[in-house]
Amino acid sequence: MVQTSLAVNEKRIVFDRFSLDLINECLWRGSEEIKIRPKAFALLNYLLNHSGQLVTKEELLNAVWPETFVGDAVLKVTVRQLREALEDDPKSPRFIETSHRRGYRFIGEIAQPKPQTSQDIYSSGAFFVYTGVVGREQALARMHRWLHRMLAGERQIGFISGEAGIGKTALVDAFARMIPTDGSIRVVRGQCLEQYGTGEAYLPVLEAIGRLCREDRKVADVVRAHAPMWLLQMPSLLSPSEREQLSRGVSGATRERMLREMGEALDALTAQVPLVLILEDLHWSDYSTLDLISYLATRRQRAHLMLIGTFRNVELVVSGHPLKAVKQELLAKQLCRELPLEYLTEAAVKDYLSITFPGNRFPAGLAGLIHQRTDGNPLFMVNAANYLLESGLIVFRDNKWELSVDLNKVELGVPDNIKQMIERHVDHLDVETQRTLEAASVAGVEFSTPALAAGLEEDPQVVEARCNELARQRQYIQECGVQELPNGEVVTRFGFIHAVYQNVLYDRLPAARRVKLHRLIAERGEEVFGKRAVEISAELAMHFERGRDYKRAAYYLKTGANNAIRRFAYQEAVDLARRGIELISNLPKTPEILNEELCLHLTLGVPLIAIEGYASPNVGEVYMKARQFYDKLGDSPDVAEVLWGLWTFHTLSGELETARNIAEEFLRLSERLPYPGLAMRGHWALEITFTHIGNFELAVEHFEKALALYDPALHRDDSFLYALNPGVAMPCFAAWALWFLGRTDEAVSRMGEAVALAVELAEPHGLAHAQSFASVLHQLRGDHRMVQRYVEAVSEISQAHGLVLYGAIANVMKGWTLSEQGREEEGIERMREGLAALEATATALVRPHFLGLLAEALAKLDQIDEAWAQLDEATTMVSNNGERYYEAELYRLKGELLLKKNKRAEAEQCFKRSLAIAGSQKAKSLQIRTEMSLASSDMLQ
């Protein structure tokens, strides 16, 4: 397909007495139709759309013969055919002027069409027929229908699927070239990369949106207004002062916010100009990109947005990539469309030969032979034709393309598979070109000239000139735009026409040379980006790992994991951190390596908590290993993260004595170490520990001490390091303790502060934590309406972010509200589900409390024995782990059950024990509740 700068609302381009029919792909002289070949049509179309401009031979070859290697001779023949059709004398041209050794210019006068909008163009069906691909007319027509719906405001999500070489990229390229280049529709692309696997969160989307922002400042302004968190992930678009200012102005980054921001930004962008967003090779995509695709598909707002994703089916099956499940779910909900590509027919192969070698005199069986050997795989077909051309089996003589040997001899010259075919092509290249392409295969599917020059250890200008020549000839690589380096230098980027080329060239390299190339490229990248190397951490990690510099690879994997945490891409963060730990664990245990291992384990801890919960054995193992590394290294600022991770694990595991010892260690260390936050965190940990133990006065005392040491600015990033912000979490536990002490108004006020700050920060952990604790506080108060309000919010957040712990708590609380509304059976089932989910996270904390709620619901249905069993389990747990904050209530509930069995004496003993416990804890709220039960039992006598 040929790009055009003309409006195409008319079905013809008119000049002199001629008109070019864009629908029927022919030339008219008045009412007389003049048949011209497809390539001649495409060439004339291109020249017409660049009327008055010199169009170089290179540009015409790239535009009219994409992904095909042909020489100037083919271009000359096609120009001659056009001149014959137009009756144009080359010595005195009226239409096509030759610029000697440079190119051609259309000099005729074109009748200007009446301008129309993109909507008019596509609703009329006047789109280009010639696309540069063969056998895909139906697929292109279907994609055109998607575009038509998008222009009508119906967002479109489409997947193009098929095996390697089937022509997915060629089809998408052809479709993109169907779209006018007058700015009425934006087209932008992003590429998933095999080397980075699923580690770089939002990689193709950041690439695409970043490119849009660089091309159009207005886009950057929209992103700044609607998606500031995304703009922060593209630091190359910001000056240091802008980055600092934006960082201060943005708080509350969450996965949910990242998705919402991009959704809103795309809505705003497409309200101005329709957008086609192309994401290639989604079988290598990160999990976060798939989340975004799902989010965009499920948004109900109308939008002029079309998202096209390509992927290989086989890769999904073999790797178990989550894209398969995402696609199936969207298809089931009719929120996306899939366009699977099939092999080309023999007729399509024949068309390809006619277009590539116009006016050929090939034997009739050549197309059939190529089809038989390639099975109609487009990439194989193109390479087979190139092989015949480069081997001299196809020649151009007497202005015609011919086969130089008998057809029955051709079969022996065509390799059986694509790898052999490409390798044979490469073997025909000169040594210098082979070295360049092999080094490029190490640099990546896309690469910059400085990176390639570093690998080759050559002058970048010489390397760029060589790449330009290869790209001009469409030999393996193509231009992919420009890139501005941190020092302001603008360099050209190139990329392989197909990943198969890169794979074959990479496999040809000896292992030792591969290692050296990866290391040289990584070191150059590190040098060029300097302090901004964090922007390409995944790329540097890959190159250093394959260059066997495992220490630096681990460092950049850790950096990439921290980036992912800040994008709330937890699974990617876990994968990157674990890979870094794996690489560095085999290196000699120097202090530097031990410190890196410590940092990697701390980096792993936060996202692992989000995915598996605080009490997960895997979380415990991570922080115990971190403690071992810390003990070997000695004192360092990392001690706060190490101890906090251990403290949370032991606390949620119900090991409260161990947790108390760790909390007290914080305070001891704060007396001799200068690190800020140790004392605050120690008092906070004791506040929580004493709340669960049932010493509510001490809990409030430590809360007040912690609050006095809390600095919101200093602890702004705590949610990334410790999973929770102290300003949100500390008042939650204080509220519980205050309620037990009978200070209900203060409790409600403190809980209100926590929820308000959580809403302001909008961090998923903080929101789920504060609202979970609020639901429990209002359950203690007996207000089921308030509990239900908070439970619904917690359920939504937990489901959106995979926060299984808070989801379990929400289920228990929801069950309690159902029971309070007279729906005991439904409530009991929901509470059992919540308790089971809680147990799956290995969380022992608060379980006695929740068992007590379940017992109450069972008692309402007179299931006394089952209720007693739940209370027995709860009191046994209290005795074993010392979590006594609800102990008085558990014995009160036992007394109530005994009353139902007419065992008043035993019931009174339970009530008296409850009063004794509540008295020792100064838990006035529970004391009053038990006194009422005791009074009620006296009245029954």
Side-chain angles (χ1 to χ4, degrees):
M1 165 60 202
V2 180
Q3 288 186 350
T4 177
S5 58
L6 287 178
V8 292
N9 51 330
E10 297 293 336
K11 297 182 180 181
R12 299 186 179 195
I13 301 176
V14 180
F15 58 98
D16 197 68
R17 56 188 172 138
F18 296 95
S19 62
L20 192 68
D21 188 335
L22 302 178
I23 299 301
N24 298 305
E25 195 179 343
C26 64
L27 183 66
W28 294 84
R29 182 171 52 223
S31 58
E32 177 189 358
E33 180 182 352
I34 303 172
K35 292 287 186 181
I36 58 174
R37 294 184 178 277
K39 287 295 186 185
F41 171 88
L43 180 61
L44 179 56
N45 192 5
Y46 199 87
L47 289 171
L48 286 168
N49 281 282
H50 295 79
S51 177
Q53 303 174 26
L54 173 64
V55 184
T56 65
K57 294 178 181 180
E58 176 184 351
E59 185 177 350
L60 285 170
L61 288 169
N62 287 337
V64 181
W65 287 270
E67 302 187 24
T68 308
F69 174 54
V70 295
D72 292 352
V74 176
L75 180 58
K76 289 179 181 178
V77 170
T78 309
V79 170
R80 186 184 307 123
Q81 291 172 352
L82 275 179
R83 282 177 168 153
E84 290 173 358
L86 296 172
E87 300 173 352
D88 196 26
D89 184 354
K91 294 179 181 179
S92 181
R94 291 184 302 136
F95 302 117
I96 301 176
E97 178 183 77
T98 301
S99 177
H100 186 56
R101 293 187 178 179
R102 297 179 66 194
Y104 301 92
R105 180 186 290 109
F106 187 85
I107 58 174
E109 185 176 347
I110 299 174
Q112 293 299 316
K114 178 184 176 182
Q116 288 179 296
T117 66
S118 298
Q119 180 63 55
D120 296 330
I121 293 166
Y122 284 91
S123 62
S124 69
F127 63 98
F128 290 100
V129 173
Y130 179 69
T131 61
V133 294
V134 295
R136 301 299 188 206
E137 293 78 13
Q138 290 184 352
L140 282 167
R142 186 172 173 190
M143 293 177 75
H144 174 258
R145 290 194 292 273
W146 296 352
L147 186 63
H148 175 70
R149 295 191 191 103
M150 180 270 275
L151 290 171
E154 181 183 343
R155 66 177 67 230
Q156 299 291 300
I157 308 293
F159 294 110
I160 313 296
S161 60
E163 66 177 60
I166 199 72
K168 300 181 294 296
T169 298
L171 175 66
V172 171
D173 287 347
F175 172 72
R177 289 193 295 267
M178 291 168 59
I179 297 173
T181 58
D182 58 359
S184 58
I185 300 175
R186 291 190 180 104
V187 181
V188 68
R189 314 172 81 114
Q191 175 76 51
C192 303
L193 300 177
E194 179 181 17
Q195 294 103 319
Y196 309 157
T198 60
E200 184 75 2
Y202 301 110
L203 173 66
V205 183
L206 286 168
E207 177 192 355
I209 300 302
R211 184 176 290 122
L212 267 183
C213 290
R214 285 187 289 273
E215 292 173 355
D216 188 341
R217 189 66 193 177
K218 292 180 181 178
V219 175
D221 292 340
V222 171
V223 174
R224 180 187 295 275
H226 294 274
M229 289 308 309
W230 284 80
L231 199 59
L232 279 174
Q233 307 305 322
M234 298 177 275
S236 62
L237 298 174
L238 301 168
S239 67
S241 60
E242 287 175 321
R243 198 156 52 244
E244 177 61 28
Q245 181 181 1
L246 194 58
S247 297
R248 287 198 303 268
V250 172
S251 63
T254 68
R255 168 186 169 276
E256 187 177 37
R257 177 171 174 176
M258 292 285 287
L259 298 177
R260 186 181 67 251
E261 280 193 357
M262 182 47 60
E264 292 174 355
L266 289 174
D267 284 351
L269 283 172
T270 58
Q272 301 171 8
V273 182
L275 174 66
V276 176
L277 173 59
I278 300 168
L279 303 179
E280 296 198 66
D281 294 327
L282 286 174
H283 50 273
W284 291 326
S285 71
D286 57 281
Y287 303 112
S288 297
T289 295
L290 300 183
D291 285 345
L292 180 61
I293 292 173
S294 294
Y295 179 79
L296 294 175
T298 53
R299 281 175 72 85
R300 295 184 178 181
Q301 298 91 329
R302 291 172 61 81
H304 297 93
L305 171 67
M306 181 175 181
L307 188 151
I308 302 172
T310 69
F311 66 88
R312 299 180 195 167
N313 307 75
V314 175
E315 295 280 351
L316 299 189
V317 175
V318 172
S319 66
H321 195 280
L323 173 60
K324 181 180 179 182
V326 169
K327 181 200 68 173
Q328 288 176 339
E329 182 177 355
L330 293 179
L331 283 171
K333 295 178 180 178
Q334 297 184 328
L335 295 174
C336 76
R337 295 172 174 84
E338 183 176 5
L339 179 54
L341 296 187
E342 305 293 340
Y343 288 133
L344 298 177
T345 64
E346 184 177 330
V349 176
K350 187 175 181 180
D351 288 343
Y352 174 78
L353 292 176
S354 297
I355 293 168
T356 307
F357 306 101
N360 69 73
R361 293 187 297 210
F362 296 151
L366 181 60
L369 176 63
I370 293 177
H371 183 267
Q372 178 186 357
R373 276 307 186 90
T374 63
D375 290 326
N377 180 296
L379 183 63
F380 288 23
M381 175 191 69
V382 170
N383 278 275
N386 285 346
Y387 169 76
L388 294 174
L389 179 65
E390 293 169 11
S391 301
L393 300 178
I394 289 178
V395 295
F396 187 74
R397 57 191 175 204
D398 299 329
N399 292 328
K400 296 290 183 183
W401 291 103
E402 296 179 341
L403 200 61
S404 64
V405 296
D406 291 338
L407 186 63
N408 58 3
K409 293 183 179 180
V410 172
E411 186 175 358
L412 299 176
V414 182
D416 288 326
N417 62 64
I418 191 68
K419 182 177 180 181
Q420 291 176 11
M421 194 178 296
I422 294 173
E423 286 183 336
R424 193 167 297 190
H425 290 170
V426 173
D427 287 339
H428 281 82
L429 302 173
D430 61 76
V431 174
E432 189 178 66
T433 304
Q434 287 186 42
R435 287 185 69 252
T436 300
L437 288 171
E438 287 169 349
S441 74
V442 174
V445 174
E446 278 195 19
F447 53 88
S448 64
T449 43
L452 182 56
L456 291 168
E457 298 179 283
E458 294 184 29
D459 184 339
Q461 291 185 348
V462 174
V463 173
E464 182 159 347
R466 198 179 303 146
C467 288
N468 279 328
E469 180 61 21
L470 285 167
R472 189 193 72 79
Q473 298 175 355
R474 302 291 291 178
Q475 280 191 288
Y476 304 101
I477 63 173
Q478 59 190 346
E479 274 198 35
C480 296
V482 296
Q483 175 185 12
E484 184 177 352
L485 301 178
N487 62 5
E489 180 185 359
V490 177
V491 299
T492 306
R493 286 189 68 80
F494 296 91
F496 283 92
I497 292 171
H498 197 286
V500 172
Y501 294 138
Q502 185 210 9
N503 294 339
V504 171
L505 286 159
Y506 189 83
D507 290 342
R508 285 168 55 94
L509 280 167
R513 185 161 179 242
R514 266 191 230 161
V515 169
K516 181 181 178 181
L517 285 167
H518 276 297
R519 188 172 295 185
L520 287 170
I521 291 169
E523 288 170 350
R524 177 59 176 157
E526 202 174 38
E527 177 187 343
V528 168
F529 277 79
K531 293 180 180 179
R532 285 173 52 185
V534 62
E535 297 173 28
I536 56 169
S537 56
E539 182 178 345
L540 291 175
M542 181 274 292
H543 283 304
F544 277 124
E545 179 180 350
R546 296 189 180 186
R548 298 188 182 177
D549 187 340
Y550 298 131
K551 187 175 88 171
R552 281 196 281 189
Y555 170 79
Y556 285 109
L557 284 165
K558 178 188 70 180
T559 305
N562 282 318
N563 288 344
I565 291 171
R566 290 181 178 273
R567 295 172 190 170
F568 291 85
Y570 294 128
Q571 186 59 58
E572 289 90 337
V574 167
D575 293 343
L576 288 166
R578 279 181 167 158
R579 182 61 183 152
I581 290 169
E582 183 182 345
L583 288 182
I584 208 168
S585 62
N586 294 321
L587 296 179
K589 303 298 182 185
T590 65
E592 187 179 6
I593 296 302
L594 286 172
N595 187 64
E596 277 300 299
E597 285 194 278
L598 168 60
C599 292
L600 276 161
H601 278 79
L602 293 176
T603 298
L604 173 59
V606 171
L608 203 58
I609 285 171
I611 291 172
E612 298 185 12
Y614 293 93
S616 161
N618 290 327
V619 170
E621 182 182 359
V622 165
Y623 283 105
M624 287 174 190
K625 285 186 176 179
R627 179 63 189 256
Q628 292 171 8
F629 294 129
Y630 172 78
D631 289 341
K632 290 178 182 178
L633 286 166
D635 294 331
S636 78
D638 296 320
V639 64
E641 290 179 62
V642 173
L643 291 182
W644 190 259
L646 282 174
W647 177 83
T648 53
F649 169 71
H650 289 295
T651 299
L652 272 292
S653 299
E655 299 166 1
L656 294 176
E657 189 60 35
T658 303
R660 179 174 176 174
N661 291 335
I662 295 172
E664 289 171 347
E665 187 176 356
F666 267 110
L667 296 181
R668 289 196 299 272
L669 289 173
S670 71
E671 293 174 358
R672 66 177 184 83
L673 295 178
Y675 310 132
L678 283 175
M680 184 276 292
R681 205 159 285 279
H683 286 300
W684 177 18
L686 283 171
E687 172 208 355
I688 297 171
T689 305
F690 282 129
T691 297
H692 286 286
I693 288 172
N695 194 330
F696 304 119
E697 285 191 331
L698 271 179
V700 172
E701 182 182 324
H702 282 286
F703 161 70
E704 290 169 350
K705 290 179 178 179
L707 189 62
L709 296 168
Y710 170 62
D711 181 346
L714 184 65
H715 298 284
R716 186 177 64 183
D717 284 348
D718 273 20
S719 59
F720 299 115
L721 302 174
Y722 303 96
L724 280 173
N725 185 296
V728 171
M730 290 191 303
C732 291
F733 292 95
W736 279 16
L738 287 165
W739 182 84
F740 282 110
L741 290 170
R743 296 156 65 179
T744 300
D745 291 344
E746 290 178 69
V748 172
S749 176
R750 285 297 184 190
M751 190 60 75
E753 292 172 10
V755 172
L757 182 58
V759 170
E760 179 186 334
L761 296 177
E763 296 164 354
H765 260 93
L767 273 168
H769 183 91
Q771 295 184 358
S772 291
F773 272 68
S775 72
V776 174
L777 174 66
H778 290 292
Q779 177 272 311
L780 291 171
R781 295 180 61 241
D783 188 341
H784 68 83
R785 291 183 180 83
M786 288 294 290
V787 174
Q788 184 163 348
R789 169 186 157 192
Y790 283 116
V791 161
E792 288 172 356
V794 174
S795 296
E796 185 177 341
I797 295 167
S798 301
Q799 187 173 5
H801 297 279
L803 305 177
V804 291
L805 172 62
Y806 297 111
I809 293 173
N811 252 348
V812 175
M813 289 293 103
K814 177 64 175 176
W816 179 81
T817 64
L818 291 170
S819 176
E820 290 296 295
Q821 295 165 21
R823 297 157 64 184
E824 288 85 0
E825 290 185 357
E826 191 178 345
I828 288 167
E829 183 179 353
R830 184 65 73 94
M831 280 191 267
R832 290 191 189 278
E833 289 175 5
L835 283 162
L838 201 66
E839 187 174 11
T841 67
T843 301
L845 212 64
V846 304
R847 187 175 180 84
H849 181 162
F850 292 168
L851 289 171
L853 300 183
L854 176 59
E856 275 190 283
L858 290 164
K860 288 181 181 180
L861 296 179
D862 290 327
Q863 297 181 24
I864 306 303
D865 291 341
E866 178 61 20
W868 186 266
Q870 303 302 323
L871 292 174
D872 253 359
E873 181 183 346
T875 52
T876 300
M877 287 189 72
V878 167
S879 299
N880 290 338
N881 64 22
E883 189 188 16
R884 300 185 180 277
Y885 78 90
Y886 208 64
E887 185 180 18
E889 179 67 359
L890 294 175
Y891 279 101
R892 186 191 72 81
L893 292 173
K894 278 193 168 185
E896 292 286 357
L897 288 182
L898 289 166
L899 283 179
K900 284 180 175 286
K901 290 186 172 185
N902 292 318
K903 296 182 178 180
R904 289 188 178 83
E906 294 176 47
E908 286 185 10
Q909 290 299 314
C910 284
F911 292 146
K912 288 177 181 178
R913 185 166 184 179
S914 173
L915 286 172
I917 294 168
S920 67
Q921 296 175 346
K922 299 183 180 178
K924 291 183 180 178
S925 293
L926 295 185
Q927 187 175 353
I928 292 170
R929 191 175 289 181
T930 304
E931 286 172 349
M932 291 174 64
S933 290
L934 187 59
S936 177
S937 69
D938 290 340
M939 291 173 62
L940 292 174
Q941 290 182 357

